[in-house]
Amino acid sequence: AQENHLESALIHSVIKAESNGDPNAISRAGDKGLMQLADSTSTDLGVANPFDPRANVFGGAKYLRTLINRFKGDLRLALAAYNAGPATVDKHGGVPPFQETHDYIDRVTTYLRETSFGESGPLK
C-alpha cells in the first residue's frame, strides 16, 4: 500500500470484495488470488505466481494505483475499471451499466466506510 501511495484499508477492502481473503481463490473468469488478478494482468505486472499472497497484493495494488491515476483520482471509476476493465469504463464514458460492477463498487466502498482509516481517506 505504501509503495503505491494507497491506504491499506483500500487494499483490504478490495481483497475482501474480490476473494474474501482466500489466497487460492479462482473466479469463474479465471482470475486468481487475493486480488483476483487475470493472467494477462499478472504477466503485465510481473507477478509470476498469482497465488503468492505477497506478489498478488503487490501486483494488485500497483494495478489499482495505475487505474486511480488513469481516472484522475476518481475511486469509483478506478474500482469500475478494476472490476470490468478500463476499456469498458472508457467505452461507456463512466461506470458501465452492469449490475455486477455497481454491486462491486458498493461492496468495496461499504467495506471502506466500515474500516477506520484515519483522516487522510482511502487515498494518500
Side-chain angles (χ1 to χ4, degrees), residues 10-38 41 56-57 60-61 63-64 67 78-85 100-101 103-109 111:
L10 177 59
I11 303 301
H12 287 283
S13 297
V14 170
I15 288 170
K16 185 169 174 75
E18 289 288 344
S19 67
N20 199 29
D22 180 359
N24 298 309
I26 302 174
S27 74
R28 290 184 304 267
D31 302 332
K32 298 176 177 98
L34 289 169
M35 294 191 74
Q36 292 291 279
L37 300 178
T41 303
N56 186 285
V57 172
Y63 183 53
L64 187 55
L67 295 172
L79 291 173
Y82 197 94
N83 176 261
E100 175 188 339
T101 301
D103 291 346
Y104 175 78
I105 293 167
D106 290 344
R107 270 195 318 276
V108 174
T109 56
Y111 297 147

Side-chain angles (χ1 to χ4, degrees), residues 86-97:
T88 303
V89 173
D90 290 340
K91 175 183 171 187
H92 290 278
V95 176

